[in-house]
């Protein structure tokens, strides 16, 4: 079991946690209403971590970025599918940026940043790399409608600047803790950490103070604008009350008695007041006055005028009641026809307004209602003013009621259309009942509670509350940039300061390192050469011109069995016998030979001698090294023992393979011999019957001839003779036809098994002819054979191989399956699987096989009847023929006591297996022709 390395998991989780913590701090300073900040330290932390520990920390970067943005999305109004997708995209962009930056950094810099060129490359790589996350993220957020088009540029600039400054400041600070080489970055800690931290904290403190002053100014300006909005609303509410009151006072004095007069007076109030949907006149009518009033209205206003009521949102003819306020005059009438004739007392909200107006005799507002003349049910407010005749008593009934209809949405939009209020969002509520406020209009989307200003309003005796909040456009328009400019400039200067300090430390380290490097190189060369020689697999010997060893590597000690101290100054001939020529002469000749023929082999017919006296074959190469002061031979000695043993194994394997091929051929010939014996036994019966019938017929003919010669033949005797002769001829003919069929079958099977050419054949015919040759053996074993195959299943394959497979399966079943049983049965079936393959199933009900035997059935030379006439190659031949010649596969299924099934799957058309294999499609016809000639 492999040991689980927990370090990458912990490192990724730690990096993700640091990314989220520092990211939350950075995004608290994001430029509203955007998503970018001028200082994004997580970009530098992630960059430094991946540069130091490699791409295996990229999952930590992705996890931290996604969690950070998911957390901000959940805090800002809850998670949605868009916010989740945005978080994933930003996480992927941040990870891609770190990967790109890492690749560029590794190409142009090292983790030590030890030269001025590397520091300059670092200053160029960082701004270029930070274009990745800003570009991908801002464009993606714009396409997802998270960032508006008018804020794309500012978000992109702040995103890029925040990542750039974050990397330039945070990456060097991070390397002080985790950078490599550790010694270098440890020496830089005081030089870098103290100045960078002091500068960063100073500029952040300055930004905090300046930003607080800017926010106070912005909040003060917003409160003033919100107050102006509420004042405008209250002024317009009061103006509507005054105008409606004045209109009611002048209504009868102006002698308004016709629709035309009312329209002229109403239009003077409706002009330049698009928030007013209409002004209507609803006279007071009693139950007794209703018929006369309807006749007057039908002749004066419209011919189909009738008093109507509003119930459950539907307008219909009004029921009779004691009194009515019937809407009679409407200006403008176009678009408001549904209101004509409507009784204001028929609906609870309007009836409550009428009662309040009669009680107060001042303009009275209704609860917010859905206007019946609007298809989309806009919210509206009815403002009613009772009109009393000049002679009416204080507690008398009014002459009628003037009603003005205010469209709330239109009213608010017109107020906010003023340039001074651009970018503000409004929520208007009816709070006459504080426990059940009624929302009339709301355009506030994502404003925070502390940014909202709430002011009370009054209209027609009802209380309202207006809530004003800044929109994103308002926030952008009133954004102060002094604090951000100071912070960005300060942090950029801090990053440049860090780069300058890196450059100073790099130059100092470079000078010190150069001195150390030159000193170390001399020692490393010697150590490197020794390490190379010791790691070499072959023995490397340095031999002087006097034939004695100068040096030997570790492989030489292992090969010859001498310790290194003893091999020094040892004679080369002690290790490799050189004969009469001597070591120096032998090595010189070998070096000259290899120099003259670089591609030639060296001495490979030599023998080495170990410390224990054992000899072993070696191959040796030598070269002469000539220096100004000395010359020596360098010899490479390679042990050939393993190669020689491998060659012997290859020769033995080839001999074994030849033996196996001979046994396979013997198995094939034994199968063919069994076939011949079976056919001979089958031919014995029909030929014996024919001989017996012919002999009997000859005797009967002689007897008939004697009778004819002696006394003549009666008609009945002649008829008996003819019947007996005919019966004998039929018996002879039938037996000879049986012999011909057997010979035809034998010829076909014999040709298939010896020639084994690919041809077209009927699967049922080949199986039938093959199984017929085993009839005698099956009867002798008291084994019942049954088979079922469809007609016309034509294959283009190797019939001989298929026949040999069936022969081997039958012989194997007779030899193994029914051991210890008096009888058994074999069933052979076939079916087409599809248009290209066929399945052949050979099943017996024998004793079956245990799993340990079933696993080895196809192994060559494996048999359970070793020494009892079984070679162990039958099922191996079956496997090779099925998977080779026939191009199929075979599966054995067996359990002890449950029999064995061989399931063979073959293509209907197999591929040719050799260049010499000929296509024989009519061999069966040639065999049949031979049989016909015999007949």
């Amino acid at each position: 079991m492999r040991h689980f390395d927990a370090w990458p998991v912990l490192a990724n989780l730690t990096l993700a946690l640091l990314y989220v913590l520092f990211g939350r701090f950075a995004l608290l300073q994001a430029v509203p209403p955007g998503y970018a900040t001028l200082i994004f330290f997580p970009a530098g932390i992630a960059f430094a971590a991946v540069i130091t520990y490699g791409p295996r920390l990229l999952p930590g970067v992705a996890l931290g970025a996604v969690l950070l943005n998911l957390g901000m999305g959940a805090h800002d109004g809850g998670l949605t599918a868009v916010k989740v997708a945005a978080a994933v995209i930003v996480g992927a962009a941040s990870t891609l940026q770190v990967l790109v930056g890492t690749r560029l950094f590794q190409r142009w810099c090292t983790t030590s940043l030890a030269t001025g060129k590397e520091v300059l490359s670092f200053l160029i790589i960082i701004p270029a790399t930070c274009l990745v996350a800003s570009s991908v993220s801002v464009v993606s957020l714009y396409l997802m409608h998270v960032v508006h088009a008018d804020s794309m540029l500012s978000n992109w600039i702040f995103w890029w600047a925040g990542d750039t400054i974050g990397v330039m400041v945070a990456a060097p600070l991070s390397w002080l803790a985790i950078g490599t080489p550790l010694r270098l970055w440890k020496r830089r800690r005081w030089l870098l950490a103290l100045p960078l931290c002091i500068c960063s904290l100073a500029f952040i403190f300055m930004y905090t103070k300046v930003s607080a002053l800017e926010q106070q100014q912005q909040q003060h300006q917003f409160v003033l604008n919100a107050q102006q909005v509420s004042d405008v609303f209250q002024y317009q509410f009061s103006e509507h009350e005054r105008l409606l009151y004045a209109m009611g006072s002048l209504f009868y004095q102006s002698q308004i008695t016709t629709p035309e007069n009312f329209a002229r007076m109403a239009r003077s109030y409706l002009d330049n007041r698009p928030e007013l949907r209409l002004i209507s006149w609803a006279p007071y009518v009693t139950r007794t006055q209703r018929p006369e009033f309807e006749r007057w209205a039908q002749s004066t206003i419209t011919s189909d005028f009738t008093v109507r009521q509003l119930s459950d949102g539907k307008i219909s003819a009004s029921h009779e009641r004691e009194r009515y306020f019937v809407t009679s005059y409407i200006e403008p009438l176009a678009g408001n026809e549904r209101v004509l004739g409507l009784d204001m007392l028929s609906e609870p909200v309007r009836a409550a307004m009428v009662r309040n107006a009669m009680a107060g005799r001042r303009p009275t507002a209704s609860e917010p209602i859905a206007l019946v003349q609007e298809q989309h049910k806009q919210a509206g407010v009815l403002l009613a003013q009772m009109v009393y005749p000049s002679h009416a008593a204080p507690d008398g009934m009014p002459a009628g009621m003037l009603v003005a209809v205010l469209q709330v949405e239109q009213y608010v939009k017109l107020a906010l259309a003023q340039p001074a209020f651009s970018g503000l969002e409004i929520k208007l509520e009816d709070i006459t009942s504080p426990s059940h406020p009624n929302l009339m209009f709301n355009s506030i989307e994502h404003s925070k509670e502390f940014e909202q200003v709430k002011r009370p309003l009054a209209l027609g005796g009802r209380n309202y509350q207006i809530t004003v909040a800044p929109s994103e456009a308002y926030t952008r328009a009133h954004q102060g940039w002094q604090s951000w400019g100071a912070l960005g400039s300060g942090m950029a200067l801090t990053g440049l300061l860090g780069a300058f300090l890196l450059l100073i430390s790099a130059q100092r380290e470079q000078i010190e390192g150069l001195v150390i490097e030159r000193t170390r190189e001399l020692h490393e060369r010697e150590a490197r050469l020794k390490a190379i020689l010791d790691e070499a697999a072959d023995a490397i010997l340095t031999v002087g011109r006097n034939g004695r060893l100068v040096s030997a590597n570790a492989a030489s000690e292992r090969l010859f069995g001498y310790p290194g101290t003893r091999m020094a100054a040892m004679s080369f001939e002690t290790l490799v016998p050189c004969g009469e020529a001597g070591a120096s002469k032998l090595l010189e000749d070998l070096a000259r030979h290899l120099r003259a023929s670089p591609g030639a082999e060296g001495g490979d017919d030599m023998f080495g001698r170990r410390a224990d006296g054992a000899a072993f074959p070696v191959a040796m190469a030598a070269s002469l090294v000539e220096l100004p002061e000395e010359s020596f031979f360098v010899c490479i000695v390679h042990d050939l023992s393993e190669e020689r043993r491998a060659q012997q194994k290859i020769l033995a394997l080839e001999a074994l393979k030849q033996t196996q091929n001979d046994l396979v051929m013997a198995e094939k010939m034994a199968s063919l011999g069994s076939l011949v014996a079976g056919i001979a036994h089958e031919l014995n019966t029909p030929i014996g019957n024919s001989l017996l019938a012919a002999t009997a017929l000859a005797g009967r003919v002689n007897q008939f001839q004697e009778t004819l010669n002696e006394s003549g033949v009666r008609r009945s005797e002649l008829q008996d003779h003819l019947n007996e002769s005919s019966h004998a001829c039929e018996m002879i003919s039938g037996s000879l036809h049986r012999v011909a069929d057997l010979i035809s079958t034998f010829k076909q099977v014999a040709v298939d098994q010896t020639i084994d050419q690919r041809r077209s054949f009927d699967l049922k015919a080949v199986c039938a002819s093959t199984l017929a040759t085993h009839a005698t053996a099956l009867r002798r074993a008291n084994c019942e054979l049954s088979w079922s195959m469809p007609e016309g299943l034509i294959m283009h394959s190797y019939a001989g191989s298929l026949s040999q497979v069936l022969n081997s399966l039958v012989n194997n079943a007779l030899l193994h399956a029914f051991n210890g049983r008096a009888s058994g049965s074999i069933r052979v079936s076939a079916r087409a699987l599809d248009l290209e393959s066929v399945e052949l199933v050979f099943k017996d009900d024998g004793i079956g096989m245990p799993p340990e035997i079933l696993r080895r059935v196809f192994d060559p030379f494996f048999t359970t009847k070793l020494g009892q006439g079984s070679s162990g190659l039958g099922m191996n031949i079956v496997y090779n023929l099925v998977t080779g010649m026939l191009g199929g596969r075979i599966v054995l299924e067996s359990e002890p006591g449950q029999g064995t099934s061989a399931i063979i799957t073959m293509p209907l058309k197999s591929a040719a297996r050799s260049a010499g294999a000929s296509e024989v499609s009519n061999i069966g016809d040639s065999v049949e022709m031979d049989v016909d000639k015999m007949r």
Side-chain angles (χ1 to χ4, degrees), residues 650-812:
I650 292 174
L651 294 175
L653 181 61
E654 291 179 352
L656 179 63
K657 186 177 295 184
Q658 182 61 40
T659 302
Q660 182 178 357
N661 292 335
D662 294 342
L663 290 174
V664 170
M665 182 58 66
E667 183 76 12
K668 289 185 177 181
M669 297 309 296
S671 175
L672 189 60
S674 175
L675 173 65
V676 172
I679 289 297
H681 187 277
E682 290 294 322
L683 291 176
N684 185 51
T685 299
I687 291 176
N689 292 338
S690 300
L691 180 61
L692 178 62
T695 303
L697 179 60
R700 185 62 180 137
V701 169
N702 292 332
Q703 183 181 359
F704 180 80
Q705 182 67 40
E706 292 176 357
T707 304
L708 179 63
N709 293 333
E710 291 178 358
S711 59
V713 179
R714 293 192 301 271
R715 184 179 182 86
S716 59
E717 292 177 344
L718 178 60
Q719 187 64 42
D720 291 340
H721 176 68
L722 291 176
N723 289 339
E724 291 175 356
S725 299
S726 176
H727 178 68
C729 290
E730 289 178 358
M731 181 180 294
I732 295 171
S733 176
S735 298
L736 292 178
H737 275 85
R738 173 60 178 164
V739 170
D741 290 340
L742 290 174
I743 292 174
S744 176
T745 298
F746 170 71
K747 290 181 66 178
Q748 180 64 73
V749 174
V751 167
D752 284 340
Q753 291 194 10
T754 54
I755 300 177
D756 203 12
Q757 294 173 316
R758 190 169 64 143
R759 67 181 181 87
S760 296
F761 59 88
D762 187 292
L763 177 62
K764 182 177 181 180
V766 170
C767 292
S769 60
T770 302
L771 295 174
T773 62
H774 295 276
T776 302
L778 291 172
R779 284 196 303 271
R780 188 182 302 115
N782 196 19
C783 181
E784 179 184 357
L785 174 66
S786 61
W787 50 289
S788 62
M789 296 184 186
E791 299 284 348
L793 192 57
I794 304 300
M795 296 183 64
H796 191 70
S797 186
Y798 295 91
S801 296
L802 178 60
S803 178
Q804 188 171 353
V805 167
L806 287 174
N807 284 335
S808 296
L809 290 175
V810 172
N811 291 332
N812 191 72

Side-chain angles (χ1 to χ4, degrees), residues 92-143:
S94 301
T95 307
L96 178 62
Q97 174 174 285
V98 174
L99 178 60
V100 172
T102 302
R103 293 288 184 250
L104 293 176
F105 184 91
Q106 291 173 344
R107 182 173 182 179
W108 301 104
C109 307
T110 63
T111 55
S112 62
L113 291 177
T115 64
K117 181 180 179 181
E118 290 183 351
V119 174
L120 180 61
S121 300
F122 175 72
L123 293 178
I124 296 174
I125 288 171
I126 296 310
T129 300
C130 292
L131 294 172
V132 175
S134 58
S135 302
V136 174
S137 300
V138 173
V139 172
S140 300
L141 293 176
Y142 167 72
L143 296 176

Side-chain angles (χ1 to χ4, degrees), residues 237-252:
F237 282 173
S238 301
E239 182 184 16
H240 289 315
E241 290 180 343
R242 290 194 301 270
L243 291 177
L244 195 62
Y245 182 80
M247 186 176 179
S249 301
L250 297 175
F251 189 80
Y252 269 92

Side-chain angles (χ1 to χ4, degrees), residues 84-327:
V84 173
V88 173
I89 291 175
V90 172
S94 301
T95 307
L96 178 62
Q97 174 174 285
V98 174
L99 178 60
V100 172
T102 302
R103 293 288 184 250
L104 293 176
F105 184 91
Q106 291 173 344
R107 182 173 182 179
W108 301 104
C109 307
T110 63
T111 55
S112 62
L113 291 177
T115 64
K117 181 180 179 181
E118 290 183 351
V119 174
L120 180 61
S121 300
F122 175 72
L123 293 178
I124 296 174
I125 288 171
I126 296 310
T129 300
C130 292
L131 294 172
V132 175
S134 58
S135 302
V136 174
S137 300
V138 173
V139 172
S140 300
L141 293 176
Y142 167 72
L143 296 176
M144 298 171 67
H145 306 290
V146 177
V147 173
H148 298 290
D150 54 354
S151 63
M152 276 189 65
L153 181 60
S154 62
N155 271 282
W156 181 85
I157 293 174
F158 276 93
W159 203 308
W160 171 78
D163 283 0
T164 301
I165 295 173
V167 175
M168 291 178 64
V169 176
L173 291 175
S174 300
W175 277 323
L176 293 178
I178 64 173
T180 56
L182 183 60
R183 181 188 60 82
L184 171 62
W185 286 102
K186 186 176 180 180
R187 294 181 60 184
R188 287 174 170 175
R189 286 178 183 176
W190 287 109
L191 180 64
L192 280 176
L194 189 61
L196 290 182
C197 290
I198 292 176
C199 290
S200 299
L201 292 175
F203 285 116
I204 291 174
F205 178 77
M206 180 177 65
Y207 160 76
T208 303
K209 293 299 182 181
V210 177
S211 179
L213 293 175
E214 287 181 347
Q215 289 182 1
Q216 290 178 3
Q217 294 176 356
Q218 295 165 10
Q219 184 67 19
H220 180 69
Q221 181 63 39
F222 169 69
V223 171
L224 291 178
N225 290 339
Q227 181 65 44
Q228 291 176 358
V229 171
S230 64
D231 292 343
V232 168
F233 271 74
Q234 186 59 63
Y235 172 77
Q236 292 180 351
F237 282 173
S238 301
E239 182 184 16
H240 289 315
E241 290 180 343
R242 290 194 301 270
L243 291 177
L244 195 62
Y245 182 80
M247 186 176 179
S249 301
L250 297 175
F251 189 80
Y252 269 92
Q253 297 178 13
S254 302
Q255 297 181 355
I256 300 174
T257 58
T258 65
E260 292 78 11
N261 294 336
F262 176 81
R264 281 194 296 273
M265 183 184 72
R267 276 197 297 270
S268 66
Y269 293 103
L270 292 174
D271 290 343
N272 300 321
R273 293 180 177 86
E275 71 273 10
L276 294 179
R277 173 73 182 188
L278 60 89
I279 297 178
S280 64
W281 165 250
Y284 174 75
V285 180
T286 64
R287 181 165 60 87
T288 57
Q289 294 173 341
R290 174 179 175 178
E292 181 62 27
F293 174 77
E294 288 182 339
R295 286 192 294 272
W296 171 82
Q298 290 171 0
S299 62
T300 305
I301 301 174
T302 179
S303 59
D304 59 348
F305 187 93
T306 183
V307 179
R308 298 184 295 169
Q309 67 179 11
L310 177 63
S311 177
D312 297 330
K314 297 181 180 179
I315 297 178
S316 60
S318 176
H319 302 307
E320 288 192 4
R321 54 173 58 92
E322 291 299 323
R323 53 184 181 176
Y324 308 88
F325 280 91
V326 183
T327 304

Side-chain angles (χ1 to χ4, degrees), residues 325 344-345 349-359 384 386 401:
F325 280 91
M344 302 297 288
L345 296 174
V349 175
R350 291 172 172 81
M353 177 193 67
V354 171
R355 289 191 295 270
N356 293 335
M358 291 177 63
M386 289 295 172
M401 177 176 60

